[in-house]
Structures are given as C-alpha cells and as structure tokens.
Amino acid sequence: MTSPLKYNDFSGPDEHGHFGIYGGRYVAETLMPLILEVGKAYEAAKGDPAFIKELDYYFTHYIGRPSPLYHAARLTDYCKGAKIYFKRDELNHTGAHKINNCIGQALLARRLGKKRIIAETGAGQHGVATATVCALFGLECVIYMGARDIERQMPNVFRMKLLGAKVVPVESGSRTLKDAMNEALRDWVSNVENTFYLIGTAAGPHPYPAMVRDFQSIIGREVREQMQVAEGRLPDTLVACIGGGSNAIGLFHPFLYDETVTLIGVEAAGHGIESGQHAASLAKGSPGVLHGSRTYLLQDDDGQILEAHSISAGLDYPGIGPEHSFLHDAGRVQYVSATDEEALAAFKLCAELEGIIPALEPSHALAHVLKLVPTLPPNHLLVMNLCGRGDKDIFTVASALGVKL
C-alpha cells in the first residue's frame, strides 16, 4: 500500500492527527471537547520554555536520564557478527521507558488543572510509572488492568498499590490490555471534568500518538549523541520491540530522515504467525479503527477484533500505533516478529551472558538481534532498545520453564 504522504515526510501528524490514512480522532462526542483541549494544551506546552525546563529537570533528577548506551561485548562475541549495543532504558526509575511519557503527561495534566488520573496497563510497567508520577505530584490514580494480566504480573500490581493507586481488574473480553483500555475510555467519558487519561503507548486518538512519541523521543536523541561519543558515527541498525509501539517510535523517530540507518520493529509472534495465536498486527492485520484511531488491527472479515496472544503482557495487544502503520506502508521501517519460545531463549541468554535480566518485551527484540547479527560484518553497529527489566516477569518465565518458586 502506498501512503498518501511523501516517502520522506515523517513530520506528521497533520492538524487532524493523521499519518497518511492512519490516526485521527474516533471518539465519543462527549470526549471531543476534552481531546481538543488536550491537543491545544500540548501545543502550548511544547513552546513554553518553563514546561521544557521542568520536564528536563525531572528527566535528569527523577528518572535518571540519560540512560546508558552499553556495548554488550559477550553477546557480540557469542553472535560473531555486528557490534551490539543496548540502550538501557530499563535502568530508568520504575524499570522501563514508560516513565518518560508519564512524567510529560502528568505535567500536562497539572497544567490543565486535572486532579484525577486514569490509565490502562498490560505488563504493569505503565501502571507503575503512572502510579509513581501521581504519588510524586499528589494526584488521584486509578489503573485499569485485565484480570489475566493481574494474575501474571502480580509484582507490578503490588507496586502500584504501594504507590497509592487503585487497581481495577477488568473481567471482560480476553481480560488483557485491549479490555483495560476499553474500560479506561468508559471511565473518561463519565468523568470528563476532573479526569486526565494518561495513555501509555503511541496509540489512541490525536494528540496522544504524537505526544507519546515526542516524550519518548528522548531515547533516540540520546542514542544519536552517545553513538557519536562511542563510535564517532551513527549506528547502522536500530531494533526495538513493538506492542503499541512507544519505545520503538521513541528510538526510531530521531533517525527517520537518516536513510543509512536501518530501523527494525519486532512484533510478538506468540505461538507462531500461522497458529493464529499471536499479536502481530502488521504481519497479519488490516486497517481498522480501535481505541480512537485508524491503524492496523487483528480483526475478522466483519471487523470484529480478534484476541491477541503473547507471553509478554506488554505486547499482548491486537493493534499498533498509527505512526507505525504509516511507516510500515511507507517502507521506512522493517517489521518482523519473534515467538514466545524465541523470546524466552533470548531472555535466558541475556541473563547468562550479560548479567542483565530483560523484560519479556525487549526479549522479543533480542531474539531477532540474535538471528540478525551473525549475518552482518563486525564493523556494523547495531543498537537495541532494552526498554524494560525482567523483575516483573520472573513468575511468568518460571512457569514457562516449569520451575516452581
């Protein structure tokens, strides 16, 4: 499919929130004034030096940015190919990239005078980051989480509660991230006056995909600077896992105009693409509307949303951010996939060779890196976004490996 936008026009979205044919605002009429208010406030904040200064302060002194760029020497030796670097966003406060966006949106919510924050979460990392910033700024916090995800992410559920958040189990549908987002949107419609919806990924109605991307682009901007220091040039390849796609677009966006840099997003293939039990929206999906925007979705011929599957709760979602859909059609980013089994093997190898226990989400990216690197020359520079740490996944991994804790 050819995008209506020029191949090299990556400055989107347009004023209506469209990336080519994707994105937009597909929301209840009740929400439209609030969505427009959020968009207007964000445009004003972007141009306000005081907002940028405050954001930079919390990035540096609360999150702990810049996160390190680490040469994974033992994995590089093991693969016998390209030089592997990890962008270590798992070392951020709260253990993932999610906090970058949460700080930004929480500051915007305060700017709007909103005292109540709602959010959805799958793996729990966005929920923890949201609960963290609400504690920091003294805001009421309600987190919607699928009941199945609560079962497999209990450490993060307890962390959210310790931080003062109310965690609401969602029993409808597949009891995962999609259903949690449905419930959060219902809450928002009912509480428009005092509530700000802090969306965790680069999806949803405009301005959220662009806003989340902008806050997460600190990842790619740091990589540009850090690679110049480490190697004196830009990387050749960037790799990141893709669920909704916030960590990936954060890494990719500052490099979209650098044609020498290959960009690779790794979806969750679950039990295998052909099994039908996966979360690979770009590989097996088609354009449709979900959660306020038009994007690639897993859906049947009647447009009914199909259940996604991934061992990783953070990738277990039947859609993807609209900018990724545009970049897929434009051919700027390559999108591949990795299975549960491949991600588990990469998880174990990273722990054993690098002393780093990654989250299951970036373990999917690493699974592809392990296949790709041996095909590349030693002077090829590859950066993978290690966007989360694996504390939250130890029970899931133990169960998958048949280990009783």
Side-chain angles (χ1 to χ4, degrees):
M1 186 182 298
T2 302
S3 170
L5 291 184
K6 300 290 187 182
Y7 172 81
N8 64 348
D9 186 359
F10 301 124
S11 59
D14 65 18
E15 61 180 316
H16 301 295
H18 291 105
F19 301 89
I21 64 171
Y22 304 105
R25 300 184 185 99
Y26 296 84
V27 297
E29 187 176 346
T30 312
L31 282 180
M32 187 59 78
L34 185 56
I35 288 285
L36 294 173
E37 180 189 26
V38 171
K40 184 177 179 181
Y42 178 58
E43 286 302 313
K46 281 197 299 183
D48 183 350
F51 180 85
I52 301 303
K53 182 179 180 181
E54 191 173 20
L55 184 65
D56 286 346
Y57 171 84
Y58 285 107
F59 272 16
T60 302
H61 299 289
Y62 193 73
I63 297 175
R65 305 210 68 93
S67 63
L69 184 70
Y70 167 71
H71 173 216
R74 294 198 69 205
L75 272 173
T76 298
D77 291 343
Y78 175 88
C79 291
K80 295 180 173 55
K83 192 172 184 179
I84 303 170
Y85 280 89
F86 287 159
K87 178 57 172 167
R88 298 200 58 189
D89 253 43
E90 98 282 8
L91 292 178
N92 294 338
H93 180 44
T94 72
H97 68 292
K98 295 294 188 180
I99 190 73
N100 304 325
N101 168 56
C102 287
I103 286 285
Q105 287 198 52
L107 291 175
L108 190 65
R110 288 204 309 172
R111 193 179 178 98
L112 286 165
K114 305 297 183 181
K115 303 295 186 183
R116 180 175 181 266
I117 303 295
I118 60 172
E120 84 297 331
T121 195
Q125 286 303 115
H126 176 59
V128 168
T130 301
T132 297
V133 299
C134 286
L136 175 65
F137 297 128
L139 302 169
E140 180 185 352
C141 183
V142 179
I143 306 292
Y144 289 91
M145 189 171 188
R148 179 164 178 260
D149 290 339
I150 286 176
E151 293 167 4
R152 56 182 174 172
Q153 298 290 330
M154 282 307 298
N156 272 348
V157 176
F158 186 52
R159 291 168 75 194
M160 284 182 264
K161 291 180 178 180
L162 282 175
L163 290 160
K166 178 182 178 182
V167 181
V168 180
V170 177
E171 297 285 355
S172 59
S174 58
R175 302 159 70 234
T176 57
L177 180 57
K178 166 181 66 70
D179 312 292
M181 199 164 188
N182 287 340
E183 290 303 316
L185 284 167
R186 290 189 185 101
D187 181 316
W188 203 18
V189 169
S190 303
N191 298 282
V192 293
E193 293 301 321
N194 69 333
T195 297
F196 185 95
Y197 184 8
L198 205 163
I199 294 180
T201 193
H206 179 64
Y208 283 95
M211 180 166 61
V212 175
R213 175 201 71 199
D214 292 347
F215 290 137
Q216 294 293 1
S217 288
I218 187 66
I219 300 169
R221 294 199 304 273
E222 287 178 1
V223 167
R224 288 187 76 94
E225 295 178 5
Q226 291 168 324
M227 283 300 292
Q228 290 290 350
V229 173
E231 299 284 351
R233 64 182 180 89
L234 295 181
D236 299 297
T237 298
L238 302 176
V239 184
C241 65
I242 300 269
S246 65
N247 95 89
I249 202 64
L251 177 64
F252 296 163
H253 195 261
F255 293 90
L256 289 178
Y257 290 101
D258 297 294
E259 295 184 2
T260 61
V261 181
T262 298
L263 309 176
I264 302 174
V266 186
E267 295 188 292
H271 295 309
I273 294 293
E274 300 309 319
S275 72
Q277 294 180 294
H278 59 79
S281 303
L282 290 173
K284 285 294 183 178
S286 58
V289 174
L290 178 66
H291 296 149
S293 72
R294 179 177 171 84
T295 190
Y296 273 86
L297 307 171
L298 297 178
Q299 56 186 332
D300 63 20
D301 292 340
D302 296 320
Q304 296 300 304
I305 304 301
L306 300 174
E307 287 191 15
H309 164 77
S310 173
I311 191 172
S312 161
L315 304 183
D316 197 351
Y317 182 68
I320 197 164
E323 189 166 7
H324 285 293
S325 293
F326 167 64
L327 293 170
H328 168 270
D329 287 2
R332 179 62 186 97
V333 180
Q334 300 174 23
Y335 293 92
V336 298
S337 61
T339 65
D340 290 353
E341 186 176 355
E342 290 169 332
L344 277 170
F347 179 102
K348 290 178 61 182
L349 190 66
C350 187
E352 292 166 1
L353 290 186
E354 292 293 346
I356 299 171
I357 300 176
L360 282 170
E361 289 81 12
S363 295
H364 285 73
L366 183 57
H368 183 71
V369 167
L370 295 175
K371 290 185 283 188
L372 177 64
V373 164
T375 71
L376 300 170
N379 64 345
H380 190 100
L381 303 177
L382 181 145
V383 178
M384 190 202 89
N385 196 17
L386 210 166
C387 60
R389 64 177 181 238
D391 313 26
K392 67 184 180 62
D393 292 319
I394 56 172
F395 294 104
T396 298
V397 172
S399 176
L401 297 177
V403 177
K404 287 189 176 181
L405 299 178

PDB file of all heavy atoms in Angstrom, residues 16 42 107 190 214 218 242 246 265 274 280 300 348:
ATOM      1  N   HIS A  16      -5.117  17.306  11.814  1.00  0.00           N
ATOM      2  CA  HIS A  16      -6.224  16.469  12.269  1.00  0.00           C
ATOM      3  C   HIS A  16      -5.738  15.160  12.893  1.00  0.00           C
ATOM      4  O   HIS A  16      -6.555  14.280  13.211  1.00  0.00           O
ATOM      5  CB  HIS A  16      -7.165  16.165  11.100  1.00  0.00           C
ATOM      6  CG  HIS A  16      -7.738  17.393  10.462  1.00  0.00           C
ATOM      7  ND1 HIS A  16      -8.585  18.250  11.134  1.00  0.00           N
ATOM      8  CD2 HIS A  16      -7.552  17.928   9.222  1.00  0.00           C
ATOM      9  CE1 HIS A  16      -8.916  19.259  10.337  1.00  0.00           C
ATOM     10  NE2 HIS A  16      -8.300  19.095   9.176  1.00  0.00           N
ATOM     11  N   TYR A  42      -1.194  20.763  24.811  1.00  0.00           N
ATOM     12  CA  TYR A  42       0.106  20.185  24.483  1.00  0.00           C
ATOM     13  C   TYR A  42       0.875  21.071  23.509  1.00  0.00           C
ATOM     14  O   TYR A  42       2.085  21.275  23.662  1.00  0.00           O
ATOM     15  CB  TYR A  42      -0.051  18.773  23.907  1.00  0.00           C
ATOM     16  CG  TYR A  42       1.278  18.179  23.509  1.00  0.00           C
ATOM     17  CD1 TYR A  42       2.302  18.033  24.445  1.00  0.00           C
ATOM     18  CD2 TYR A  42       1.535  17.800  22.192  1.00  0.00           C
ATOM     19  CE1 TYR A  42       3.534  17.520  24.091  1.00  0.00           C
ATOM     20  CE2 TYR A  42       2.764  17.282  21.837  1.00  0.00           C
ATOM     21  CZ  TYR A  42       3.763  17.150  22.788  1.00  0.00           C
ATOM     22  OH  TYR A  42       4.989  16.658  22.428  1.00  0.00           O
ATOM     23  N   LEU A 107       2.736  16.302  33.945  1.00  0.00           N
ATOM     24  CA  LEU A 107       2.954  17.747  33.957  1.00  0.00           C
ATOM     25  C   LEU A 107       1.880  18.463  33.134  1.00  0.00           C
ATOM     26  O   LEU A 107       1.419  19.551  33.502  1.00  0.00           O
ATOM     27  CB  LEU A 107       4.346  18.078  33.415  1.00  0.00           C
ATOM     28  CG  LEU A 107       5.533  17.655  34.287  1.00  0.00           C
ATOM     29  CD1 LEU A 107       6.856  17.939  33.567  1.00  0.00           C
ATOM     30  CD2 LEU A 107       5.507  18.363  35.635  1.00  0.00           C
ATOM     31  N   SER A 190     -17.268   9.248  31.420  1.00  0.00           N
ATOM     32  CA  SER A 190     -18.118   9.520  32.580  1.00  0.00           C
ATOM     33  C   SER A 190     -17.549  10.576  33.520  1.00  0.00           C
ATOM     34  O   SER A 190     -18.271  11.080  34.392  1.00  0.00           O
ATOM     35  CB  SER A 190     -18.346   8.221  33.374  1.00  0.00           C
ATOM     36  OG  SER A 190     -18.921   7.232  32.550  1.00  0.00           O
ATOM     37  N   ASP A 214       6.733  12.091  21.130  1.00  0.00           N
ATOM     38  CA  ASP A 214       7.626  13.210  21.441  1.00  0.00           C
ATOM     39  C   ASP A 214       8.311  13.020  22.790  1.00  0.00           C
ATOM     40  O   ASP A 214       9.509  13.261  22.923  1.00  0.00           O
ATOM     41  CB  ASP A 214       6.851  14.526  21.422  1.00  0.00           C
ATOM     42  CG  ASP A 214       6.375  14.923  20.029  1.00  0.00           C
ATOM     43  OD1 ASP A 214       6.839  14.319  19.045  1.00  0.00           O
ATOM     44  OD2 ASP A 214       5.522  15.832  19.941  1.00  0.00           O
ATOM     45  N   ILE A 218      13.245  11.141  23.480  1.00  0.00           N
ATOM     46  CA  ILE A 218      14.479  11.339  24.240  1.00  0.00           C
ATOM     47  C   ILE A 218      15.390  10.129  24.092  1.00  0.00           C
ATOM     48  O   ILE A 218      16.625  10.246  24.116  1.00  0.00           O
ATOM     49  CB  ILE A 218      14.153  11.604  25.739  1.00  0.00           C
ATOM     50  CG1 ILE A 218      15.412  11.974  26.523  1.00  0.00           C
ATOM     51  CG2 ILE A 218      13.454  10.419  26.382  1.00  0.00           C
ATOM     52  CD1 ILE A 218      16.037  13.272  26.151  1.00  0.00           C
ATOM     53  N   ILE A 242       7.785  -4.164  19.516  1.00  0.00           N
ATOM     54  CA  ILE A 242       6.591  -3.386  19.170  1.00  0.00           C
ATOM     55  C   ILE A 242       5.356  -4.030  19.793  1.00  0.00           C
ATOM     56  O   ILE A 242       5.040  -5.183  19.514  1.00  0.00           O
ATOM     57  CB  ILE A 242       6.373  -3.352  17.637  1.00  0.00           C
ATOM     58  CG1 ILE A 242       7.541  -2.727  16.936  1.00  0.00           C
ATOM     59  CG2 ILE A 242       5.080  -2.640  17.305  1.00  0.00           C
ATOM     60  CD1 ILE A 242       7.457  -1.276  16.717  1.00  0.00           C
ATOM     61  N   SER A 246       5.489   2.479  21.671  1.00  0.00           N
ATOM     62  CA  SER A 246       6.051   3.739  22.167  1.00  0.00           C
ATOM     63  C   SER A 246       7.561   3.701  22.302  1.00  0.00           C
ATOM     64  O   SER A 246       8.247   4.666  21.968  1.00  0.00           O
ATOM     65  CB  SER A 246       5.411   4.125  23.503  1.00  0.00           C
ATOM     66  OG  SER A 246       5.716   3.205  24.527  1.00  0.00           O
ATOM     67  N   GLY A 265      11.366  -3.079  13.712  1.00  0.00           N
ATOM     68  CA  GLY A 265      10.445  -3.299  14.822  1.00  0.00           C
ATOM     69  C   GLY A 265      10.078  -4.766  14.901  1.00  0.00           C
ATOM     70  O   GLY A 265       9.823  -5.411  13.876  1.00  0.00           O
ATOM     71  N   GLU A 274       1.446 -18.450  11.917  1.00  0.00           N
ATOM     72  CA  GLU A 274       0.431 -19.266  11.256  1.00  0.00           C
ATOM     73  C   GLU A 274      -0.505 -19.959  12.241  1.00  0.00           C
ATOM     74  O   GLU A 274      -1.524 -20.528  11.839  1.00  0.00           O
ATOM     75  CB  GLU A 274       1.109 -20.301  10.344  1.00  0.00           C
ATOM     76  CG  GLU A 274       1.968 -19.690   9.247  1.00  0.00           C
ATOM     77  CD  GLU A 274       1.235 -18.615   8.442  1.00  0.00           C
ATOM     78  OE1 GLU A 274       0.039 -18.808   8.128  1.00  0.00           O
ATOM     79  OE2 GLU A 274       1.855 -17.569   8.149  1.00  0.00           O
ATOM     80  N   ALA A 280       0.772 -10.045  16.155  1.00  0.00           N
ATOM     81  CA  ALA A 280       1.491  -9.416  15.045  1.00  0.00           C
ATOM     82  C   ALA A 280       0.510  -8.674  14.134  1.00  0.00           C
ATOM     83  O   ALA A 280       0.102  -9.164  13.081  1.00  0.00           O
ATOM     84  CB  ALA A 280       2.277 -10.460  14.253  1.00  0.00           C
ATOM     85  N   ASP A 300     -11.469  -9.845  12.183  1.00  0.00           N
ATOM     86  CA  ASP A 300     -12.021 -10.803  11.227  1.00  0.00           C
ATOM     87  C   ASP A 300     -12.644 -10.061  10.049  1.00  0.00           C
ATOM     88  O   ASP A 300     -12.567  -8.827   9.960  1.00  0.00           O
ATOM     89  CB  ASP A 300     -13.021 -11.747  11.903  1.00  0.00           C
ATOM     90  CG  ASP A 300     -14.249 -11.020  12.456  1.00  0.00           C
ATOM     91  OD1 ASP A 300     -14.537  -9.886  12.019  1.00  0.00           O
ATOM     92  OD2 ASP A 300     -14.929 -11.599  13.324  1.00  0.00           O
ATOM     93  N   LYS A 348      16.880 -15.823  28.597  1.00  0.00           N
ATOM     94  CA  LYS A 348      17.851 -16.625  29.352  1.00  0.00           C
ATOM     95  C   LYS A 348      19.283 -16.292  28.941  1.00  0.00           C
ATOM     96  O   LYS A 348      20.171 -16.142  29.785  1.00  0.00           O
ATOM     97  CB  LYS A 348      17.582 -18.112  29.131  1.00  0.00           C
ATOM     98  CG  LYS A 348      16.310 -18.632  29.780  1.00  0.00           C
ATOM     99  CD  LYS A 348      16.107 -20.111  29.467  1.00  0.00           C
ATOM    100  CE  LYS A 348      17.248 -20.954  30.005  1.00  0.00           C
ATOM    101  NZ  LYS A 348      17.070 -22.387  29.654  1.00  0.00           N
TER     102      LYS A 348
END
